[in-house]
Amino acid sequence: MSMFCHQCQETLKNKGCSFNQGMCGKKAEVANLQDLYIWTLKGISVWGVKASKLDIYDEETAYFVAKGLFTTITNANFDKHFFINAVKEAVLLRNGLRDKYCKVKGRDCGSFLPECATWEPESDVEIEAKAESGTGGWLEIKDEDIRSLKATILYGLKGISAYLEHGYQIVKGGKDIFLFLMEGLSKLVDDSLTQDDLLALVIKTGGNGVKVMKYLDEANAHYGDTEITEVNTGVGNNPGILISGHDLVDLEDLLEQTKDKGIDVYSHSEMLPAHYRPFFKKYKNFIGNYGNAWYLQKEEIEKFHGPVFFTSNCLVPPDKTDYIDRIFTSGPVGFEGCIHISDRPKVGRKDFSAVIAKAKTCRPPEELENGKIVGGFGHKQVLSLADKVIAAVKSGDIKRFVVMGGCDGRHKTRQYYTDVAKKLPKDTIILTAGCAKYKYIKEDLGDIAGIPRVLDAGQCNDSYSLAVIAMELQKAFELNDINDLPLSFDIAWYEQKAVIVLLALLSLGVKGIRLGPTLPGFLSPNVANIIIEKFNLKGITTPEEDVEAMMAGE
């Protein structure tokens, strides 16, 4: 069995993973089932768009589409049986939405529909056969540029779905974003769209990326706005639970159920910024951050000794012979052999009793390091320092801001970002968000007039804060164009949440972004050239050359 997937930065030879397994560890049968599942979500979306024109909206089905798309993001769900069952559920929900529409519309309600809106599997065997035969895969689109544009849109929609799912857990709502998600998916099966139509949809997807990040930013404020915080990186003497990912509601549920039980909770990777939010500081058992970015988790989980709970990506597939019995998943994450925590009931919390019971059988974690990480520089915190920042710029103490957000990863080429951070002059400020920060946040890069040279806004979705900071600085300096700021973008990407951050920045008119370690493999030469010409998108070169160019405003 073979597959084709090119959604992440590590895709084979920057072209696409094929054969029987991807670079992320996803097997071909799972990759093909994911393609089929996305195809069925497109089918739901075809009916969702039709229904919305009659003011019919089913929130449960809309959420299913968002969460379903999220499960197909890189390093989230590797469970074959999950996707077989999800396809069956998708067909049932699609038919329910169809019936609601047809009840209002009347006769001829289902004319000229794509197969994804009508297909009815009769068995699991038929689902697996359909997946293997190739429905919804990229190589079925013969035109390279159309394929590239549709991939860019889909991967942007996947990023939107991740942020939408997290925000929905906190505040619900988000109807207009759910509707756009279905609009975008439905257009991916519309063969009448031209290259220009799809280019416009790429930018519209970016605009909705800004909208969904604003939605999540406002939702996360439920836990308080981020504030300057020192986070401990050492360990305690109690058994521990390591929580990874992005879901703050899962963290709240876990902390509530572990307090006063002699169990310490540690953040991991993208959960680190939870320490910056005032709400979580009341939990004395939330004692610090353990480890680094996602790709180092195998070695770090071995040394942690206790259970590890994944709320979202990024999960590196565990071997069945190592710590698989200590891995717990939830929400969009899944892996065969790991215990999956059921979704939160409509009233109440997720049940973490199995995770807690496991922790009580484990010894405390080994110490990896013992120090502090400083962060909490979301847009409200930074803008509270605006007078100080503006004065430092006007005095010449701050010459330039460099946005170095995004993702970390395994490739040795990502050492580039550590080297850039170290080589940037002492009169520059680094703005960051996402796990890319682990490349330099533990370096002693000093401060400027009491302002740390590395300002961490938080999780990857908190890249929205970096955009807000830039726009507010543009107003403060009375500039007509955001590109006139002393501001450079040197972004690291790995997966689809970074894709929507990139598209969001492009939709805001930001030009001259450096993107690495490579430009996306899903961009055809023609599409890449269009984006390069329109937005001056650049690949990275060497740290020395890029630092010199950025300081010259290039």
Side-chain angles (χ1 to χ4, degrees):
M1 183 180 292
S2 63
M3 59 181 282
F4 183 82
C5 180
H6 58 3
Q7 68 180 1
C8 83
Q9 189 274 324
E10 289 187 351
T11 195
L12 188 64
K13 297 182 180 180
N14 207 37
K15 294 293 184 183
C17 292
S18 53
F19 306 112
N20 63 351
Q21 182 171 300
M23 296 297 290
C24 67
K26 179 172 60 179
K27 295 187 183 301
E29 60 182 348
V30 174
N32 294 331
L33 282 165
Q34 286 186 359
D35 285 345
L36 178 63
Y37 184 36
I38 292 169
W39 186 70
T40 62
L41 296 177
K42 291 173 183 175
I44 293 176
S45 299
V46 168
W47 286 107
V49 169
K50 292 165 72 71
S52 68
K53 294 175 182 177
L54 298 180
D55 293 324
I56 299 170
Y57 175 67
D58 188 306
E59 189 170 285
E60 178 188 355
T61 302
Y63 174 71
F64 179 88
V65 170
K67 183 180 176 183
L69 206 55
F70 190 7
T71 63
T72 69
I73 213 165
T74 302
N75 284 4
N77 200 309
F78 301 82
D79 188 343
K80 163 188 171 180
H81 301 290
F82 168 85
F83 288 106
I84 291 172
N85 290 327
V87 166
K88 290 188 284 190
E89 187 175 358
V91 170
L92 290 174
L93 288 171
R94 183 200 69 195
N95 291 348
L97 188 57
R98 175 202 64 195
D99 293 346
K100 288 181 182 179
Y101 172 81
C102 291
K103 184 176 182 180
V104 175
K105 182 68 175 177
R107 294 176 63 187
D108 301 323
C109 68
S111 303
F112 309 110
L113 291 169
E115 185 188 2
C116 61
T118 61
W119 177 65
E120 299 275 359
E122 295 184 359
S123 67
D124 291 3
V125 172
E126 185 179 344
I127 289 172
E128 292 187 75
K130 188 77 167 176
E132 187 175 355
S133 67
T135 298
W138 293 120
L139 298 184
E140 296 173 43
I141 302 174
K142 301 306 179 184
D143 186 298
E144 181 183 38
D145 296 331
I146 296 296
R147 183 194 314 144
S148 176
L149 289 166
K150 287 190 173 185
T152 304
I153 292 161
L154 178 64
Y155 299 154
L157 295 175
K158 287 192 181 193
I160 288 175
S161 74
Y163 296 149
L164 183 55
E165 199 275 343
H166 292 319
Y168 187 79
Q169 292 299 320
I170 304 170
V171 295
K172 300 298 185 281
K175 178 179 178 180
D176 55 337
I177 309 172
F178 280 114
L179 288 174
F180 172 74
L181 200 61
M182 290 192 285
E183 175 192 343
L185 285 171
S186 68
K187 286 185 176 180
L188 293 179
V189 292
D190 185 348
D191 293 333
S192 70
L193 296 185
T194 65
Q195 182 172 307
D196 286 342
D197 293 332
L198 293 170
L199 279 167
L201 186 55
V202 167
I203 301 305
K204 187 174 182 180
T205 301
N208 278 271
V210 176
K211 186 181 293 186
V212 77
M213 285 190 282
K214 182 175 187 291
Y215 164 78
L216 181 53
D217 180 72
E218 292 172 350
N220 283 342
H222 169 79
Y223 295 106
D225 296 318
T226 57
E227 57 188 23
I228 301 173
T229 304
E230 287 188 342
V231 183
N232 172 47
T233 61
V235 299
N237 297 319
N238 293 324
I241 296 173
L242 192 61
I243 180 168
S244 192
H246 307 74
D247 196 309
L248 298 182
V249 185
D250 279 355
L251 174 62
E252 178 187 355
D253 287 357
L254 179 62
L255 290 172
E256 275 294 319
Q257 292 173 54
T258 52
K259 64 183 181 182
D260 303 321
K261 285 188 168 64
I263 296 171
D264 293 334
V265 175
Y266 298 81
S267 61
H268 174 259
S269 195
E270 283 275 62
M271 196 59 80
L272 162 66
H275 292 279
Y276 308 158
R277 296 192 179 273
F279 179 90
F280 295 109
K281 294 180 180 180
K282 67 186 179 184
Y283 294 101
K284 303 304 180 186
N285 58 325
F286 191 33
I287 71 168
N289 188 74
Y290 191 87
N292 298 277
W294 64 274
Y295 72 98
L296 294 168
Q297 65 186 252
K298 283 202 169 188
E299 176 184 344
E300 293 174 351
I301 290 174
E302 287 284 3
K303 294 181 179 179
F304 186 74
H305 302 309
V308 184
F309 173 58
F310 284 86
T311 69
S312 61
N313 68 322
C314 299
L315 170 68
V316 176
D319 297 326
K320 292 185 178 180
T321 55
D322 52 28
Y323 50 75
I324 193 168
D325 64 318
R326 292 192 281 116
I327 298 292
F328 294 80
T329 63
S330 191
V333 194
F335 191 84
E336 289 185 55
C338 297
I339 295 176
H340 189 78
I341 305 298
S342 299
D343 287 348
R344 187 172 295 103
K346 290 185 178 180
V347 178
R349 303 186 183 278
K350 286 186 179 179
D351 181 4
F352 288 111
S353 56
V355 186
I356 294 168
K358 186 67 178 180
K360 290 180 176 179
T361 69
C362 300
R363 65 183 193 270
E366 294 179 39
E367 190 165 87
L368 299 177
E369 56 192 316
N370 195 336
K372 302 285 185 183
I373 295 174
V374 179
F377 295 94
H379 58 93
K380 291 187 179 179
Q381 177 66 82
V382 172
L383 294 177
S384 72
L385 305 171
D387 291 344
K388 194 173 183 179
V389 172
I390 290 168
V393 174
K394 289 182 175 178
S395 70
D397 290 338
I398 297 176
K399 289 288 199 309
R400 197 153 196 88
F401 299 90
V402 181
V403 175
M404 291 179 65
C407 313
D408 202 355
R410 288 173 281 229
H411 281 186
K412 291 181 180 179
T413 51
R414 290 179 184 267
Q415 176 65 27
Y416 161 93
Y417 294 98
T418 304
D419 294 341
V420 166
K422 289 181 175 181
K423 291 179 184 297
L424 282 168
K426 302 299 183 185
D427 53 10
T428 56
I429 293 287
I430 297 170
L431 303 173
T432 191
C435 64
K437 68 168 128 303
Y438 286 102
K439 278 286 181 265
Y440 42 79
I441 198 168
K442 296 176 184 180
E443 302 288 339
D444 184 8
L445 299 178
D447 65 87
I448 300 174
I451 302 169
R453 287 195 54 231
V454 178
L455 302 182
D456 176 28
Q459 297 180 338
C460 54
N461 55 275
D462 290 312
S463 296
Y464 173 75
S465 271
L466 308 183
V468 171
I469 291 166
M471 290 186 287
E472 290 301 319
L473 287 174
Q474 177 189 345
K475 291 179 188 176
F477 289 110
E478 299 180 345
L479 300 172
N480 293 325
D481 192 325
I482 196 170
N483 297 293
D484 292 333
L485 281 168
L487 175 68
S488 299
F489 289 81
D490 196 9
I491 305 295
W493 85 283
Y494 175 73
E495 43 88 304
Q496 297 80 66
K497 296 195 295 296
V499 172
I500 193 56
V501 169
L502 173 65
L503 297 185
L505 291 172
L506 297 183
S507 77
L508 292 172
V510 176
K511 296 183 178 180
I513 297 171
R514 283 177 173 79
L515 186 68
T518 59
L519 293 182
F522 54 80
L523 294 180
S524 67
N526 286 338
V527 171
N529 286 335
I530 290 170
I531 296 174
I532 288 167
E533 290 176 13
K534 184 175 179 63
F535 296 101
N536 192 25
L537 183 70
K538 307 170 184 179
I540 62 172
T541 59
T542 67
E544 294 79 8
E545 291 175 297
D546 287 350
V547 167
E548 182 179 357
M550 287 188 286
M551 294 309 296
E554 299 173 1

